[in-house]
Amino acid sequence: MNEITLGEGSTPLLRAPRLGERYGVEELWLKWEGANPTGSFKDRGMAVATTRAVERGVTRLVCASTGNTAASSAAYAARAGIEAVIVVPAGAIAASKLVQVRAVGGTIVEVEGSFSDAFAHAEALASEPGSTFVNSGGSEDRIEGQMTVAAEIAEQLGGAPDAVTLPYGGGGNTRAVARGFEELVSSLPALYPVEAARRPDTVASAIRITEPVHERWVHEAVERSGGSLITVTDEEILDAWKNLRALEGVFSEPASAAGIAGLAHAEHEGLVVCIVTGHGLKDPAAVGA
Ligand code: F0G
């Protein structure tokens, strides 16, 4: 097998005592996914999806994205010597993410409307010969790749944490994290996916998704885990984003701080891991807001 990799995974797990104190969490850790090659957790699944696509003779990756899947698919396609076509809702994507796509030769298609409109358009493009759909809603490979974060956290801690919080957009990552803990670690922490109250126009542009494809699985996993689904305001997200930077020196993008904002609402005890999903250089515009 010709593995298509950029060295994704094996990201830092950082103890965050100052942030923990702020949110009243006894033992808080940050899984810093911004340290991945294109700056987000998406690289884990994209490595698997691209490797398997190339094995099947695919010559074009197609996805819809709020920006990070875009940057990731374009980079892995370039690495594999194939094309990437990315459909995005016009005007809704952080500029740096589009730069990431163009820098490695990816093609951006803008559509009027929401992420769901972009998703439908991408699905149609992906049905053309030689193409494959690499959204987690259409690719089990993406989910399998993203499961690795659970095994890594357990390895770094020497066991599963008591609770995990993470941002919730389409839900693919929550689904992957749940499956990862259940299948690779045999122990499911209480899961707290955190969504933005202002879903269609939240400041957390990466999670501007009103119809999460994985909703059913997310609800089932949360139920099994004994956690809960949390909704936070944009003010809470911006506040958490600032706290994460100022108290721990971790500069994430706004959406990635949703998991931190959720700490104020999660009924957790003991050791909590927040998955901090993407790098701040991707979406710096709101700093100072
Ligand atoms: N955090 C970041 C930084 C993201 O980019 C996303 C999703 C999420 C969290 C939510 O993950 O959708 O699996 O629940 N970004 C997608 C994209 C939609 O196109 O990059 P999810």
Side-chain angles (χ1 to χ4, degrees), residues 41-42 65-69 167-173 206-207 209 253 256 277:
F41 71 99
K42 303 285 182 180
S65 181
T66 58
N68 282 324
T69 303
Y168 173 23
N173 206 34
I207 53 172
I209 295 178
E253 63 174 289
S256 303
T277 47

Side-chain angles (χ1 to χ4, degrees), residues 39-42 63-71 87 93 97 115 135-136 142-143 146 166-176 193-194 199 205-209 212-214 218 253-258 275-279 282:
S40 87
F41 71 99
K42 303 285 182 180
C63 68
S65 181
T66 58
N68 282 324
T69 303
V87 188
I93 309 300
K97 295 177 183 175
F115 177 78
N135 276 86
S136 64
R142 284 274 316 281
I143 300 282
Q146 287 176 206
L166 75 172
Y168 173 23
N173 206 34
T174 304
R175 187 176 175 186
V194 184
R199 271 192 174 264
S205 65
I207 53 172
R208 268 180 205 152
I209 295 178
V213 243
H214 301 280
V218 169
E253 63 174 289
S256 303
I275 303 182
V276 184
T277 47
H279 204 287
K282 284 169 167 289

